[in-house]
Amino acid sequence: MSCGSSSRHRQQLMQEMIYDAVRPPPPPPTSTTTIRSVLKQSNEPIKTKRPVKNSINNGKPDKLADLLNLEEAESDAETTKKVQALEGLKRLVKELQMEKEENKRAAASRVRLLTKDDPENRVTLAMLGTIPPLVAMLDFEDSNSQIAALYALLNLGIGNDQNKAAIVKAGAVHKMLKLIESPNEPSQAVSDAIVANFLGLSALDSNKLIIGSSGAIPFLVKTLKILDKQSGCQARHDALRALYNLSISPSNIPFIMESDLIPFLVNALGDMDVSERILSILSNVVSTPEGRKGISIAPEAFPILVDVLNWTDSPGCQEKASYILMVMAHKAYRDRQAMIEAGIVSSLLELTLLGSMLAQKRASRILEVLRVDKGKQVSGNLGGNTSAAVSAPIYGSSANQYGKDCLVEEGMMSEEKKAVKLLVQQSLQNNMKRIVNRANLPQDFAPSEHLKSLTASSTSKSLPF
């Protein structure tokens, strides 16, 4: 019986049961009928009563019993189907363990197909012992067998952390690197499959350090550089994502620095197809001293990062670029000077006006650090008297509230305020020019007198800290 007819049969039985339950009882028999029945029963011999099936339903089939029997039959059919499927998976594992390479290759292709969209098959096949023979197939010289095994392993690990750990434990990383380092370079298809496996396996935290220390990072970087011009290549995106996964672990940052990845990533910024992913990697790298040093010494790193704030309207890119610059600005005076030379102030002021809330907050923090540096530099030029040096103004202080400054407009404080005022005024004017250019306004557009008066009267207290 098909599933559709079975369902209709079940519904019909249920309707009949409901009808029988609500149908009024038949009228009581007449007295004559009752007497005749009694007389007839008294003249007949007494017989042993047998349970009459469906007596309460006036001879009709027992609807409830039929319904239960139907469900039981369907349950038995489903169980039989699952048992047969399990037996088929067992035979598939046996084929993987055969000596003939052709049988193994066909079985690996079958595993790849069965685990593509079925999480239950991934669990079952792994429990039946599919992973070790698939990993062993990576030693075959036939590229078709290697590809079949690699993609079968890839599908087994999708959404299953236990399988990812088991694949690494079975030695897959070592065998994949052995394929890469062999005198006969693997084909592009094999290389792409290895990159995809590194991406999937590196998503598990316990695998990150194992893969990073194995020598996979130089391979991923090499693959990324080779495929740099092929923007539509899936392997390029897989390699970037795998490197991002590996960069999450601080222990892998030294391996990333040894691969000369940072200068390549900095120079690749500007390609909107991969820029946000690159900035995500740099955001992980900047968390360690080695990573900050690598970014700092990369050629044109700060001009490029500052330029990201100018040309992109993507909130993700702006937030990540401002985070990298914020961490660098807080850690090294030399990096702050390089940022100022790259024209970061005007870009940050624009970001505080047009950026996302998180980008605005980070831009304001960078401006605060730069302003403190400017004050210290002015005080040093006035004779090195740092006892009266002042950092960023504290919002809501009594001095600001009542308009009284602890220092009068004489001496060092006056010179510091003049320097900061000039810096802010120039930055605001540059910011307005940049906004005008981005708005595609005529080049002869000039700010109004009201705007000029605002920029001329602005001080460091107007910055949104």
Side-chain angles (χ1 to χ4, degrees):
M1 181 182 296
S2 65
C3 294
S5 61
S6 174
S7 178
R8 286 194 298 270
H9 189 196
R10 186 188 295 107
Q11 292 177 359
Q12 183 179 359
L13 290 174
M14 291 295 294
Q15 290 175 358
E16 292 178 0
M17 289 176 63
I18 295 172
Y19 174 75
D20 290 340
V22 301
R23 186 174 58 184
T30 63
S31 59
T32 304
T33 305
T34 304
I35 294 172
R36 288 179 179 178
S37 301
V38 171
L39 292 174
K40 185 177 181 181
Q41 290 177 2
S42 62
N43 295 327
E44 292 178 354
I46 299 176
K47 298 180 180 180
T48 305
K49 292 184 178 181
R50 296 179 181 177
V52 180
K53 187 178 181 181
N54 308 326
S55 60
I56 62 173
N57 289 329
N58 299 324
K60 291 186 177 181
D62 189 342
K63 312 297 189 306
L64 180 59
D66 286 353
L67 187 62
L68 293 175
N69 291 336
L70 182 62
E71 291 181 352
E72 185 178 356
E74 290 180 353
S75 177
D76 292 341
E78 186 177 354
T79 302
T80 303
K81 184 178 179 181
K82 289 184 177 180
V83 170
Q84 292 175 351
L86 180 60
E87 293 299 326
L89 295 180
K90 289 181 178 179
R91 288 194 298 270
L92 185 60
V93 175
K94 289 182 179 180
E95 291 178 4
L96 280 173
Q97 298 171 348
M98 292 182 178
E99 295 182 0
K100 291 185 178 181
E101 185 174 339
E102 295 180 359
N103 293 344
K104 290 177 177 289
R105 181 169 60 250
S109 300
R110 182 65 177 164
V111 171
R112 175 185 178 181
L113 182 63
L114 292 174
T115 56
K116 182 178 180 181
D117 300 310
D118 194 331
E120 187 175 351
N121 279 343
R122 295 170 195 151
V123 175
T124 305
L125 284 169
M127 292 178 63
L128 292 174
T130 310
I131 292 177
L134 286 173
V135 172
M137 286 180 64
L138 299 181
D139 291 331
F140 293 171
E141 296 182 359
D142 177 47
S143 61
N144 292 328
S145 298
Q146 296 169 358
I147 293 173
L150 285 168
Y151 281 111
L153 291 170
L154 176 65
N155 289 350
L156 281 168
I158 294 176
N160 193 309
D161 290 345
Q162 291 183 345
N163 287 358
K164 287 185 175 74
I167 291 170
V168 172
K169 187 176 181 180
V173 174
H174 170 72
K175 290 186 180 296
M176 286 190 290
L177 290 174
K178 185 178 178 182
L179 285 177
I180 297 166
E181 298 168 355
S182 63
N184 299 325
E185 292 187 3
S187 64
Q188 187 64 51
V190 173
S191 180
D192 292 350
I194 292 175
V195 171
N197 270 273
F198 279 140
L199 169 60
L201 297 175
S202 62
L204 183 62
D205 288 340
S206 60
N207 287 345
K208 285 180 170 59
L209 182 57
I210 297 174
I211 297 174
S213 60
S214 68
I217 290 179
F219 163 71
L220 293 171
V221 174
K222 180 182 177 182
T223 302
L224 189 61
K225 291 180 178 180
I226 293 175
L227 302 175
D228 181 36
K229 303 304 179 183
Q230 303 177 23
S231 58
C233 183
Q234 182 63 40
R236 181 191 187 212
H237 295 276
D238 289 347
L240 264 179
R241 293 168 62 192
L243 287 168
Y244 168 74
N245 288 343
L246 295 173
S247 69
I248 294 175
S249 174
S251 301
N252 285 332
I253 302 301
F255 302 114
I256 292 177
M257 302 310 301
E258 293 174 0
S259 66
D260 199 28
L261 175 64
I262 302 304
F264 172 79
L265 293 181
V266 171
N267 290 327
L269 284 172
D271 182 353
M272 287 304 298
D273 199 28
V274 295
S275 287
E276 187 166 356
R277 183 72 60 185
I278 290 174
L279 291 169
S280 298
I281 297 174
L282 295 177
S283 297
N284 291 333
V285 170
V286 79
S287 63
T288 65
E290 300 94 333
R292 290 192 292 273
K293 182 178 179 181
I295 296 175
S296 179
I297 63 177
E300 300 296 319
F302 291 111
I304 293 175
L305 288 171
V306 170
D307 196 41
V308 171
L309 301 178
N310 300 331
W311 57 255
T312 181
D313 292 325
S314 167
C317 288
Q318 289 179 346
E319 291 167 3
K320 291 178 175 62
S322 59
Y323 172 77
I324 296 166
L325 291 167
M326 180 182 68
V327 175
M328 300 288 288
H330 274 78
K331 295 297 182 178
Y333 173 79
R334 182 182 63 181
D335 294 338
R336 294 194 288 271
Q337 292 301 112
M339 294 178 194
I340 294 175
E341 294 175 2
I344 193 175
V345 176
S346 59
S347 300
L348 293 175
L349 288 170
E350 180 181 350
L351 202 58
T352 59
L353 298 174
L354 304 177
S356 65
M357 185 176 297
L358 182 57
Q360 290 178 10
K361 183 178 181 181
R362 289 171 175 172
S364 299
R365 289 184 177 180
I366 301 173
L367 284 170
E368 182 178 1
V369 174
L370 297 179
R371 185 171 56 182
V372 171
D373 268 0
K374 186 66 176 178
K376 291 180 180 180
Q377 184 179 1
V378 172
S379 63
N381 293 337
L382 290 175
N385 183 12
T386 59
S387 61
V390 180
S391 63
I394 302 175
Y395 181 81
S397 64
S398 59
N400 291 334
Q401 182 177 359
Y402 300 105
K404 297 179 181 180
D405 294 330
C406 295
L407 298 177
V408 296
E409 304 228 1
E410 296 179 358
M412 181 202 66
M413 186 60 184
S414 177
E415 293 297 328
E416 179 183 345
K417 289 176 66 177
K418 288 180 181 179
V420 174
K421 179 179 178 180
L422 179 61
L423 172 64
V424 175
Q425 182 177 349
Q426 292 175 349
S427 299
L428 287 174
Q429 291 175 354
N430 292 334
N431 183 41
M432 177 52 62
K433 292 179 181 178
R434 191 181 304 278
I435 294 175
V436 169
N437 291 333
R438 292 182 66 179
N440 295 323
L441 295 176
Q443 295 298 324
D444 56 354
F445 173 84
S448 64
E449 294 298 327
H450 176 66
L451 179 61
K452 289 183 177 180
S453 63
L454 285 177
T455 58
S457 60
S458 296
T459 65
S460 61
K461 297 177 183 178
S462 65
L463 294 176
F465 288 102

XYZ file of all heavy atoms in Angstrom, residues 154-227:
537
model
N 35.660 15.046 3.004
C 35.120 16.398 3.170
C 33.648 16.355 3.571
O 33.223 17.046 4.512
C 35.294 17.182 1.873
C 34.704 18.602 1.843
C 35.423 19.508 2.830
C 34.777 19.178 0.437
N 32.865 15.524 2.879
C 31.436 15.435 3.181
C 31.168 14.773 4.529
O 30.209 15.128 5.218
C 30.709 14.666 2.073
C 30.616 15.469 0.786
O 30.913 16.660 0.750
N 30.216 14.821 -0.288
N 32.003 13.833 4.909
C 31.843 13.205 6.224
C 32.026 14.209 7.358
O 31.421 14.064 8.427
C 32.840 12.058 6.388
C 32.501 10.730 5.708
C 33.704 9.810 5.707
C 31.316 10.071 6.406
N 32.850 15.224 7.140
C 33.126 16.192 8.201
C 32.176 17.367 8.254
O 32.246 18.176 9.196
N 31.277 17.498 7.293
C 30.376 18.656 7.262
C 29.447 18.613 8.477
O 28.684 17.671 8.673
C 29.540 18.660 5.964
C 30.445 18.869 4.747
C 28.477 19.749 6.011
C 29.703 18.782 3.419
N 29.514 19.641 9.302
C 28.634 19.745 10.461
C 28.815 18.666 11.500
O 27.920 18.457 12.334
N 29.939 17.989 11.511
C 30.157 16.894 12.447
C 31.566 17.015 13.030
O 32.554 16.631 12.387
C 29.978 15.542 11.744
C 29.889 14.381 12.714
O 30.729 14.241 13.588
N 28.868 13.556 12.562
N 31.657 17.564 14.228
C 32.965 17.795 14.854
C 33.665 16.482 15.198
O 34.901 16.402 15.138
C 32.792 18.646 16.118
C 32.409 20.081 15.798
O 32.556 20.483 14.624
O 31.954 20.796 16.716
N 32.899 15.464 15.578
C 33.533 14.180 15.899
C 34.228 13.591 14.676
O 35.334 13.059 14.778
C 32.484 13.202 16.435
C 31.931 13.569 17.805
C 30.948 12.547 18.340
O 30.463 11.707 17.587
N 30.647 12.627 19.619
N 33.585 13.704 13.534
C 34.215 13.184 12.313
C 35.439 14.006 11.937
O 36.437 13.466 11.449
C 33.207 13.172 11.170
C 32.165 12.079 11.328
O 32.212 11.299 12.266
N 31.224 12.027 10.401
N 35.375 15.334 12.121
C 36.548 16.172 11.835
C 37.743 15.748 12.689
O 38.867 15.632 12.191
C 36.220 17.645 12.105
C 35.307 18.310 11.092
C 35.174 19.792 11.416
C 34.355 20.533 10.363
N 32.916 20.224 10.464
N 37.487 15.543 13.960
C 38.576 15.105 14.841
C 39.078 13.721 14.449
O 40.298 13.456 14.468
C 38.090 15.107 16.292
N 38.177 12.823 14.065
C 38.582 11.463 13.686
C 39.397 11.467 12.405
O 40.342 10.678 12.257
C 37.336 10.588 13.526
N 39.060 12.338 11.470
C 39.809 12.413 10.200
C 41.240 12.869 10.455
O 42.199 12.314 9.899
C 39.088 13.364 9.227
C 37.761 12.741 8.768
C 39.962 13.672 8.018
C 36.867 13.700 8.008
N 41.402 13.872 11.306
C 42.758 14.334 11.641
C 43.515 13.256 12.415
O 44.704 13.013 12.178
C 42.685 15.644 12.449
C 44.061 16.033 12.977
C 42.124 16.766 11.583
N 42.830 12.600 13.332
C 43.475 11.549 14.123
C 43.920 10.387 13.255
O 44.926 9.707 13.551
C 42.509 11.069 15.204
C 43.122 10.100 16.198
C 42.131 9.745 17.300
C 42.765 8.787 18.304
N 41.795 8.439 19.393
N 43.217 10.144 12.166
C 43.569 9.043 11.261
C 44.763 9.372 10.377
O 45.214 8.507 9.609
C 42.365 8.683 10.393
N 45.284 10.607 10.459
C 46.487 10.975 9.708
C 46.226 11.641 8.377
O 47.120 11.676 7.521
N 45.038 12.205 8.190
C 44.708 12.810 6.895
C 45.580 14.030 6.599
O 45.987 14.244 5.450
C 43.226 13.199 6.863
N 45.886 14.841 7.621
C 46.681 16.049 7.393
C 48.068 15.683 6.879
O 48.578 16.275 5.913
C 46.780 16.874 8.695
C 47.723 18.059 8.514
C 45.391 17.375 9.110
N 48.684 14.707 7.499
C 50.021 14.271 7.079
C 49.998 13.744 5.651
O 50.890 14.065 4.844
C 50.533 13.198 8.043
C 51.778 12.507 7.575
N 53.011 13.130 7.576
C 51.976 11.251 7.069
C 53.917 12.291 7.103
N 53.317 11.148 6.796
N 48.992 12.965 5.323
C 48.932 12.387 3.973
C 48.634 13.448 2.919
O 49.143 13.366 1.792
C 47.883 11.272 3.945
C 48.304 10.035 4.724
C 47.310 8.910 4.565
C 47.737 7.682 5.357
N 49.021 7.104 4.864
N 47.816 14.451 3.259
C 47.547 15.530 2.303
C 48.807 16.348 2.043
O 49.099 16.729 0.896
C 46.404 16.405 2.813
C 45.035 15.753 2.699
S 43.650 16.872 3.035
C 43.849 17.128 4.793
N 49.555 16.630 3.089
C 50.815 17.361 2.899
C 51.827 16.531 2.120
O 52.641 17.071 1.357
C 51.390 17.753 4.259
C 50.604 18.836 5.023
C 51.176 19.040 6.407
C 50.616 20.142 4.243
N 51.784 15.226 2.315
C 52.667 14.350 1.551
C 52.350 14.427 0.063
O 53.253 14.426 -0.790
C 52.527 12.914 2.068
C 53.481 11.920 1.437
C 53.293 10.531 2.042
C 54.224 9.519 1.379
N 54.012 8.148 1.947
N 51.076 14.519 -0.269
C 50.686 14.695 -1.671
C 51.204 16.015 -2.222
O 51.667 16.100 -3.366
C 49.163 14.645 -1.799
C 48.471 13.287 -1.698
C 46.966 13.455 -1.762
C 48.941 12.376 -2.824
N 51.130 17.057 -1.403
C 51.560 18.391 -1.845
C 53.062 18.425 -2.088
O 53.551 19.024 -3.051
C 51.173 19.444 -0.789
C 49.650 19.507 -0.654
C 51.738 20.802 -1.148
C 49.188 20.245 0.568
N 53.821 17.775 -1.201
C 55.279 17.859 -1.252
C 55.910 16.775 -2.129
O 57.141 16.716 -2.215
C 55.828 17.744 0.176
C 55.361 18.877 1.087
C 55.662 18.604 2.547
O 56.151 17.471 2.832
O 55.402 19.479 3.388
N 55.128 15.951 -2.740
C 55.683 14.888 -3.580
C 56.358 15.478 -4.813
O 55.992 16.578 -5.263
C 54.576 13.919 -4.002
O 53.623 14.597 -4.790
N 57.349 14.791 -5.361
C 58.029 15.309 -6.570
C 57.056 15.564 -7.715
O 57.199 16.537 -8.452
C 59.025 14.205 -6.914
C 59.246 13.472 -5.625
C 57.949 13.542 -4.886
N 56.078 14.704 -7.849
C 55.055 14.923 -8.865
C 53.937 15.780 -8.260
O 53.163 15.300 -7.427
C 54.480 13.587 -9.350
C 55.548 12.710 -9.987
O 56.468 13.209 -10.645
N 55.431 11.404 -9.772
N 53.904 17.026 -8.641
C 52.926 17.925 -8.065
C 51.506 17.443 -8.361
O 51.220 16.958 -9.457
C 53.123 19.340 -8.617
C 54.409 19.995 -8.153
C 54.463 21.447 -8.575
O 53.468 21.936 -9.168
O 55.488 22.087 -8.318
N 50.624 17.562 -7.391
C 49.252 17.096 -7.624
C 48.549 17.957 -8.668
O 48.920 19.113 -8.900
C 48.597 17.244 -6.239
C 49.380 18.319 -5.566
C 50.795 18.156 -6.061
N 47.545 17.389 -9.273
C 46.767 18.141 -10.247
C 45.999 19.261 -9.555
O 45.878 19.288 -8.321
C 45.789 17.204 -10.966
O 44.848 16.679 -10.050
N 45.486 20.187 -10.349
C 44.739 21.305 -9.785
C 43.495 20.822 -9.049
O 43.120 21.362 -8.000
C 44.340 22.279 -10.894
C 43.699 23.570 -10.390
C 44.662 24.388 -9.547
O 45.791 24.654 -9.951
N 44.216 24.778 -8.362
N 42.863 19.777 -9.571
C 41.672 19.242 -8.915
C 42.005 18.660 -7.550
O 41.261 18.857 -6.575
C 41.024 18.179 -9.800
N 43.117 17.940 -7.462
C 43.537 17.387 -6.170
C 43.905 18.504 -5.207
O 43.540 18.480 -4.024
C 44.717 16.418 -6.364
C 45.285 15.969 -5.017
C 44.295 15.212 -7.189
N 44.622 19.505 -5.699
C 45.008 20.637 -4.858
C 43.786 21.371 -4.318
O 43.736 21.736 -3.139
C 45.892 21.600 -5.669
O 46.269 22.709 -4.874
N 42.787 21.575 -5.168
C 41.565 22.254 -4.723
C 40.840 21.435 -3.660
O 40.301 21.989 -2.686
C 40.636 22.486 -5.916
C 41.187 23.495 -6.899
O 42.199 24.158 -6.575
O 40.628 23.625 -8.003
N 40.833 20.113 -3.825
C 40.179 19.252 -2.837
C 40.911 19.288 -1.501
O 40.283 19.252 -0.431
C 40.108 17.818 -3.362
N 42.239 19.384 -1.532
C 43.019 19.474 -0.295
C 42.727 20.794 0.414
O 42.560 20.846 1.635
C 44.519 19.323 -0.598
C 44.815 17.893 -1.075
C 45.358 19.651 0.636
C 46.242 17.674 -1.524
N 42.661 21.887 -0.355
C 42.340 23.190 0.236
C 40.967 23.143 0.899
O 40.776 23.637 2.019
C 42.384 24.294 -0.844
C 41.846 25.606 -0.292
C 43.809 24.490 -1.346
N 39.990 22.535 0.218
C 38.644 22.435 0.786
C 38.645 21.619 2.078
O 37.928 21.948 3.037
C 37.701 21.805 -0.234
N 39.463 20.560 2.139
C 39.546 19.767 3.368
C 40.195 20.540 4.497
O 39.757 20.450 5.653
C 40.309 18.465 3.107
C 39.415 17.323 2.689
O 38.864 16.603 3.516
N 39.232 17.173 1.378
N 41.238 21.306 4.195
C 41.855 22.134 5.231
C 40.862 23.163 5.765
O 40.860 23.475 6.962
C 43.102 22.834 4.692
C 44.331 21.958 4.670
C 45.223 22.012 3.612
C 44.594 21.090 5.709
C 46.347 21.201 3.588
C 45.722 20.266 5.696
C 46.599 20.336 4.624
N 40.034 23.694 4.887
C 39.005 24.628 5.333
C 38.035 23.954 6.289
O 37.731 24.487 7.370
C 38.258 25.190 4.120
C 36.978 25.993 4.427
C 37.292 27.191 5.301
C 36.291 26.416 3.147
N 37.535 22.790 5.908
C 36.573 22.105 6.767
C 37.175 21.651 8.085
O 36.580 21.840 9.152
N 38.365 21.088 8.053
C 38.994 20.572 9.272
C 39.430 21.688 10.206
O 39.404 21.528 11.431
C 40.189 19.693 8.909
C 39.881 18.429 8.101
C 41.168 17.716 7.711
C 38.964 17.494 8.889
N 39.835 22.844 9.667
C 40.313 23.947 10.504
C 39.187 24.655 11.241
O 39.454 25.496 12.100
C 41.072 24.968 9.644
O 40.218 25.548 8.666
N 37.936 24.335 10.929
C 36.822 24.955 11.648
C 36.728 24.441 13.082
O 36.128 25.093 13.940
C 35.513 24.683 10.911
N 37.312 23.285 13.358
C 37.299 22.716 14.706
C 38.494 23.262 15.484
O 39.640 23.172 15.033
C 37.361 21.192 14.630
C 37.282 20.432 15.955
C 35.952 20.692 16.649
C 37.483 18.935 15.732
N 38.232 23.810 16.674
C 39.291 24.476 17.449
C 40.451 23.534 17.770
O 41.617 23.935 17.714
C 38.702 25.046 18.743
C 37.817 26.257 18.498
O 37.955 26.874 17.415
O 36.994 26.597 19.365
N 40.141 22.298 18.114
C 41.210 21.370 18.480
C 42.094 21.006 17.294
O 43.209 20.496 17.486
C 40.604 20.096 19.077
O 39.743 19.462 18.143
N 41.624 21.248 16.074
C 42.424 20.949 14.882
C 43.289 22.116 14.435
O 44.196 21.932 13.610
C 41.517 20.546 13.720
C 40.919 19.162 13.889
O 41.378 18.385 14.726
N 39.898 18.850 13.119
N 43.010 23.327 14.922
C 43.670 24.524 14.393
C 45.187 24.463 14.559
O 45.944 24.704 13.613
C 43.104 25.778 15.073
C 41.714 26.169 14.585
C 41.215 27.413 15.298
C 39.958 27.965 14.683
N 38.823 27.055 14.645
N 45.646 24.179 15.761
C 47.090 24.149 16.010
C 47.747 22.985 15.280
O 48.868 23.116 14.769
C 47.366 24.062 17.510
C 48.842 24.073 17.919
C 49.530 25.331 17.391
C 48.981 23.985 19.435
N 47.069 21.837 15.198
C 47.636 20.675 14.505
C 47.874 21.012 13.033
O 48.941 20.735 12.471
C 46.694 19.465 14.639
C 46.550 19.066 16.111
C 47.216 18.287 13.829
C 45.527 17.975 16.357
N 46.878 21.620 12.405
C 47.011 21.970 10.984
C 48.006 23.098 10.794
O 48.838 23.077 9.876
C 45.635 22.358 10.417
C 44.676 21.166 10.492
C 45.757 22.841 8.974
C 43.251 21.486 10.088
N 47.956 24.113 11.679
C 48.865 25.250 11.532
C 50.328 24.883 11.674
O 51.188 25.392 10.950
N 50.614 23.969 12.600
C 52.016 23.574 12.827
C 52.487 22.488 11.875
O 53.667 22.131 11.880
C 52.174 23.087 14.274
O 51.338 21.967 14.515
N 51.602 21.958 11.062
C 51.963 20.850 10.177
C 52.665 21.298 8.899
O 53.261 20.482 8.202
C 50.692 20.073 9.802
O 49.854 20.874 8.988
N 52.558 22.568 8.568
C 53.098 23.064 7.306
C 52.025 23.366 6.283
O 52.331 23.601 5.111
N 50.765 23.380 6.722
C 49.677 23.654 5.786
C 49.590 25.135 5.416
O 49.126 25.482 4.326
C 48.342 23.192 6.383
N 50.028 26.023 6.319
C 49.888 27.469 6.060
C 50.690 27.899 4.837
O 50.168 28.629 3.981
C 50.280 28.264 7.321
C 49.214 28.055 8.405
C 50.443 29.754 7.005
C 49.498 28.753 9.702
N 51.975 27.510 4.688
C 52.688 27.885 3.454
C 52.001 27.384 2.192
O 51.979 28.090 1.177
C 54.063 27.234 3.636
C 54.234 27.123 5.111
C 52.871 26.847 5.651
N 51.417 26.190 2.252
C 50.692 25.672 1.084
C 49.482 26.541 0.769
O 49.214 26.867 -0.394
C 50.264 24.232 1.340
C 49.193 23.748 0.411
C 49.465 23.498 -0.931
C 47.894 23.556 0.868
C 48.464 23.055 -1.792
C 46.898 23.120 0.016
C 47.185 22.870 -1.315
N 48.732 26.930 1.802
C 47.558 27.775 1.587
C 47.950 29.141 1.040
O 47.276 29.695 0.166
C 46.777 27.924 2.891
C 46.109 26.648 3.426
C 45.556 26.878 4.824
C 45.010 26.187 2.486
N 49.044 29.692 1.565
C 49.518 31.001 1.066
C 49.962 30.884 -0.384
O 49.660 31.752 -1.220
C 50.657 31.529 1.956
C 51.254 32.805 1.373
C 50.147 31.786 3.374
N 50.681 29.818 -0.698
C 51.130 29.606 -2.082
C 49.933 29.462 -3.014
O 49.910 30.045 -4.115
C 52.011 28.356 -2.141
C 52.526 28.030 -3.533
C 53.364 26.752 -3.518
C 53.834 26.380 -4.932
N 54.617 25.112 -4.914
N 48.944 28.700 -2.588
C 47.735 28.534 -3.392
C 47.038 29.866 -3.600
O 46.566 30.183 -4.699
C 46.775 27.550 -2.712
O 47.441 26.297 -2.529
C 45.525 27.343 -3.530
N 46.990 30.666 -2.548
C 46.339 31.977 -2.633
C 47.050 32.882 -3.619
O 46.411 33.599 -4.409
C 46.312 32.611 -1.239
C 45.489 33.876 -1.071
C 44.026 33.614 -1.374
C 45.657 34.414 0.341
N 48.365 32.861 -3.609
C 49.119 33.721 -4.528
C 48.973 33.251 -5.975
O 48.869 34.078 -6.889
C 50.601 33.730 -4.123
C 50.864 34.456 -2.809
C 52.344 34.436 -2.470
C 52.622 35.194 -1.186
N 54.065 35.194 -0.843
N 48.961 31.947 -6.181
C 48.825 31.431 -7.543
C 47.466 31.796 -8.125
O 47.341 32.164 -9.296
C 49.023 29.902 -7.551
C 50.478 29.559 -7.191
C 48.659 29.315 -8.906
C 50.730 28.076 -7.047
N 46.445 31.716 -7.278
C 45.081 31.967 -7.742
C 44.646 33.408 -7.544
O 43.458 33.719 -7.654
C 44.105 31.046 -6.992
C 44.359 29.540 -7.121
C 43.398 28.762 -6.232
C 44.213 29.102 -8.570
